[in-house]
Amino acid sequence: MTSCEERDILNGITGAVNPGEVLAFMGPSGSGKTTLLNLLGGRLIQSAVGGSITYNDQPYSKFLKSRIGFVTQDDVLFPHLTVKETLTYAARLRLPKVLTRQQKEKRAVDVIYELGLERCQDTMIGGSFVRGVSGGERKRVCIGNEIIINPSLLFLDEPTSGLDSTTALRTIQTLQDIAEVGKTVITTIHQPSSRLFHKFDKLILLGKGSLLYFGKASEAIVYFSSIGCSPLIAMNPAEFLLDLANGNLTDTSVPSELEDKVQMENSETETGNGKPPPAVVHEQYLVEAYESRVADTEKKKLMAPLPLDEELKSKVSSSKRQWGASWWQQYCILFCRGIKERKHDYFSWLRITQVLSTAIILGLLWWQSDSKTIRGRQDQAGLLFFIAVFWGFFPVFTAIFTFPQERAMLGKERAADMYRLSAYFLARTTSDLPLDLILPVLFLLVVYFMAGLRLSASHFFLSMLTVFLCIVAAQGLGLAIGATLMDLKRATTLASVTVMTFMLAGGYFVKKVPVFISWIRYMSFNYHTYKLLLKVQYQDIMPTVNGIKTDSGLKEVGALVAMIFGYRFLAYLSLRKMQLHCEA
């Protein structure tokens, strides 16, 4: 066994930011910017790291979590919701219970105008396959999702990533506007333009987890000049600072003592004597310079934390979650949001065409089939088995994508304590049911009458109920596989093998299954659905059809109901165990 080596990712970081200020974390890739931001924002599990995090000398708590906004680097949004719908649902879930629905919705509208999103408020967010708002507007919607709770502290991870310079400048100006009303804003930034750089009030420059500078952003160049490091040509200050942090000394003047050390290490590295590379020597010099010149002064400023009154102190130390809505309200909100988001996919022309064209082909192949003769009933049994297979296969491969695709959204929203996992799970799995019923009804309306199956209302509705039980059971299997594996390739492979096995054991291809493997048949929703469909059509004609006995049907219904709840329970347990950024 190989032992895990412990490494210090961050070392000796000191800094402070006050309400009304924007602090930027800057540094090359791998310098620890995002790790530091996640630690401060409570997005990393405390037990996984050494040390402690306090706010005004108070430990991180559930109450503090409700006063902190965190905007991730990736824009995690539902593509089919409009800007207004996105912010309204966030307001209804996150704002305190004491506010009415009208007050929460008004807050969403206020944020839309505050962020300048009024022109696109009725436009869908959009995504890879859906045309929607621009990149800058998406980022402002993400910021709106967080400032809607009026946080005291706002963290942002690379808010200008992927934006053009003008849009990035507008985004940083938005952060300044937020800070000016008394909020504290902390953001990571990779390589800002000079205009962006001068928008920041304070700067923390990191190099491989060490602090190279903390202070006013406008004084950073002056400080580095004071230790002998200054640009030789006119250049973007941010570019110069990143060159320093990377150990790139091109177009940079350095003090003679550092230049001598670098040249010495260059020659010794070439001889292969195990000495540290020049970049490490350069970083050590910058860290030592900061420690000897600035660090002590800055640390003394932070020794006396701001006092808190006793009432606020008790709230801050509270470990109780501040839910914005009751469990039932959370369920209802998430149910409505789920239907609005997914109705576009369910009723896409591609899916409707797929279902209806299959139904028409089946209707033509079994056109007015004969149920009075044994041969005709055998032919109809083939149709009924195909219906059981089709409505077992289709929902499994639709449901597989549910949780893997929504994992990022679930992680983000649960990290912000927007809702309970149980409310999300129940809303997510029940909001599909009304949508799942419409296409099978259309399918059966075409197939049933074209194929000449039993023409009575009771037979039709019992067939519909049987198909619906099959769909919900198959959907449960897809949810369980997707939630357990959380990987689409592996989940699709496992589902393919499982569905194929269930189909083969479904009672049509093999009449007599060997005893040692017969248990597979009873796990197959295809088998139970097939038996029920045969019972609905032929029980009053003959007790055995195509080698299958049509008994009371209670065992089959019981088995499908057990699958409906059993698979979903397994999916829920898998989500509970999933490593999110918060407690499940």
Side-chain angles (χ1 to χ4, degrees):
M1 290 179 65
T2 57
S3 59
C4 247
E5 183 186 349
E6 289 190 4
R7 292 180 58 195
D8 288 337
I9 298 174
L10 298 167
N11 183 32
I13 311 297
T14 301
V17 57
N18 301 315
E21 295 178 335
V22 179
L23 167 67
F25 294 161
M26 203 169 78
S29 298
S31 61
K33 305 186 298 293
T34 299
T35 302
L36 178 58
L37 195 79
N38 286 332
L39 279 169
L40 294 177
R43 296 304 174 106
L44 290 183
I45 301 171
Q46 293 283 327
S47 58
V49 295
S52 61
I53 298 169
T54 59
Y55 297 77
N56 287 5
D57 211 26
Q58 298 298 314
Y60 183 79
S61 66
K62 297 296 180 186
F63 174 80
L64 274 171
K65 194 175 188 178
S66 68
R67 305 298 305 140
I68 294 173
F70 196 104
V71 180
T72 57
Q73 181 176 352
D74 297 323
D75 300 334
V76 184
L77 298 166
F78 285 115
H80 293 107
L81 295 182
T82 65
V83 170
K84 188 174 183 179
E85 287 170 344
T86 300
L87 294 175
T88 299
Y89 284 126
R92 290 177 62 191
L93 287 166
R94 300 190 69 179
L95 289 175
K97 292 181 187 178
V98 293
L99 299 179
T100 65
R101 176 172 174 172
Q102 290 73 25
Q103 288 173 319
K104 291 183 177 184
E105 290 177 353
K106 182 181 181 302
R107 172 61 183 157
V109 173
D110 290 342
V111 168
I112 286 172
Y113 280 88
E114 183 181 341
L115 295 175
L117 294 167
E118 61 273 12
R119 293 180 61 186
C120 63
Q121 61 180 315
D122 296 318
T123 305
M124 282 198 297
I125 297 294
S128 303
F129 305 104
V130 184
R131 188 177 177 85
V133 297
S134 67
E137 288 165 340
R138 284 172 64 89
K139 184 58 70 177
R140 277 182 279 161
V141 173
C142 291
I143 294 171
N145 266 334
E146 299 303 316
I147 67 169
I148 209 157
I149 60 170
N150 196 25
S152 301
L153 184 57
L154 180 63
F155 292 101
L156 304 100
D157 189 12
E158 302 275 4
T160 60
S161 177
L163 303 180
D164 62 78
S165 59
T166 304
T167 307
L169 184 65
R170 193 176 300 140
T171 302
I172 298 300
Q173 183 60 57
T174 300
L175 300 185
Q176 272 197 319
D177 296 339
I178 293 168
E180 282 175 2
V181 296
K183 311 300 178 192
T184 304
V185 178
I186 300 176
T187 180
T188 62
I189 200 86
H190 183 60
Q191 193 162 359
S193 65
S194 56
R195 288 192 300 171
L196 245 63
F197 180 81
H198 290 296
K199 292 284 184 184
F200 301 123
D201 299 299
K202 287 183 176 177
L203 174 71
I204 282 182
L205 181 64
L206 297 174
K208 295 182 182 176
S210 298
L211 186 61
L212 306 183
Y213 174 77
F214 165 68
K216 292 182 178 179
S218 57
E219 296 175 0
I221 300 296
V222 176
Y223 161 74
F224 283 106
S225 296
S226 72
I227 63 170
C229 299
S230 56
L232 293 173
I233 60 172
M235 60 194 303
N236 177 355
E239 191 176 343
F240 166 68
L241 295 176
L242 286 172
D243 279 349
L244 279 179
N246 267 314
N248 179 11
L249 305 182
T250 308
D251 298 324
T252 303
S253 72
V254 295
S256 55
E257 56 178 303
L258 175 58
E259 195 169 352
D260 293 341
K261 282 184 180 180
V262 169
Q263 288 178 354
M264 187 183 300
E265 295 303 332
N266 268 326
S267 59
E268 290 181 348
T269 301
E270 287 173 7
T271 60
N273 62 359
K275 291 284 185 179
V280 175
V281 174
H282 178 71
E283 182 193 336
Q284 288 172 351
Y285 174 82
L286 294 178
V287 172
E288 289 168 4
Y290 179 79
E291 286 289 334
S292 62
R293 292 169 181 257
V294 184
D296 288 340
T297 308
E298 292 297 336
K299 285 176 183 176
K300 283 176 185 176
K301 292 179 185 177
L302 304 176
M303 290 305 290
L306 297 174
L308 297 177
D309 61 64
E310 290 304 316
E311 183 183 353
L312 183 58
K313 204 169 187 177
S314 64
K315 283 185 179 179
V316 167
S317 59
S318 170
S319 61
K320 191 175 180 181
R321 279 191 172 114
Q322 305 291 315
W323 298 112
S326 67
W327 188 96
W328 177 248
Q329 288 171 330
Q330 290 174 11
Y331 169 78
C332 292
I333 293 166
L334 293 169
F335 183 90
C336 294
R337 187 179 76 171
I339 288 182
K340 276 196 173 182
E341 166 59 24
R342 287 185 294 282
K343 66 182 180 183
H344 301 276
D345 286 335
Y346 270 86
F347 302 125
S348 65
W349 66 269
L350 198 61
R351 183 174 294 211
I352 293 171
T353 303
Q354 179 185 14
V355 170
L356 288 182
S357 59
T358 303
I360 291 169
I361 291 169
L362 290 175
L364 292 173
L365 289 172
W366 274 271
W367 177 260
Q368 298 300 308
S369 56
D370 179 20
S371 62
K372 295 178 182 178
T373 63
I374 294 176
R375 181 64 182 269
R377 284 192 289 272
Q378 286 178 340
D379 283 348
Q380 282 191 352
L383 171 63
L384 297 176
F385 183 73
F386 181 86
I387 292 172
V389 169
F390 183 76
W391 289 110
F393 176 91
F394 201 62
V396 168
F397 286 92
T398 302
I400 272 177
F401 294 88
T402 299
F403 295 123
Q405 284 184 340
E406 288 193 10
R407 182 176 186 174
M409 179 64 76
L410 179 59
K412 185 190 87 167
E413 294 184 337
R414 288 280 296 141
D417 279 348
M418 285 179 68
Y419 44 72
R420 292 173 173 85
L421 182 62
S422 55
Y424 162 80
F425 181 82
L426 198 62
R428 184 63 185 84
T429 53
T430 55
S431 61
D432 287 338
L433 298 183
L435 302 173
D436 280 329
L437 187 57
I438 295 171
L439 286 181
V441 169
L442 293 175
F443 177 90
L444 273 188
L445 281 171
V446 174
V447 171
Y448 201 90
F449 299 106
M450 286 182 71
L453 298 174
R454 296 289 293 276
L455 295 176
S456 75
S458 60
H459 288 91
F460 175 79
F461 285 112
L462 283 174
S463 298
M464 185 68 249
L465 180 60
T466 300
V467 169
F468 190 55
L469 282 174
C470 177
I471 288 169
V472 183
Q475 191 182 62
L477 175 64
L479 292 171
I481 292 175
T484 303
L485 298 180
M486 279 296 175
D487 179 88
L488 289 178
K489 284 186 178 179
R490 290 191 296 161
T492 305
T493 302
L494 177 59
S496 300
V497 173
T498 305
V499 168
M500 181 186 68
T501 305
F502 285 176
M503 178 187 70
L504 293 174
Y508 185 78
F509 296 112
V510 183
K511 302 295 184 295
K512 187 177 179 181
V513 178
V515 177
F516 62 87
I517 203 172
S518 61
W519 54 270
I520 292 179
R521 169 168 282 183
Y522 300 102
M523 293 180 64
S524 168
F525 40 76
N526 299 134
Y527 175 68
H528 299 298
T529 304
Y530 180 45
K531 282 191 72 174
L532 285 173
L533 288 174
L534 289 175
K535 170 185 166 50
V536 169
Q537 293 295 318
Y538 308 119
Q539 189 182 30
D540 54 351
I541 298 177
M542 56 190 304
T544 304
V545 181
N546 205 25
I548 300 290
K549 289 184 179 179
T550 56
D551 49 21
S552 67
L554 291 177
K555 287 190 296 185
E556 286 74 25
V557 172
L560 288 172
V561 170
M563 290 177 192
I564 288 169
F565 290 101
Y567 285 139
R568 280 167 171 75
F569 184 65
L570 176 60
Y572 179 69
L573 290 181
S574 299
L575 286 184
R576 294 279 300 185
K577 292 178 181 178
M578 190 176 70
Q579 292 299 314
L580 297 174
H581 296 300
C582 58
E583 297 175 16

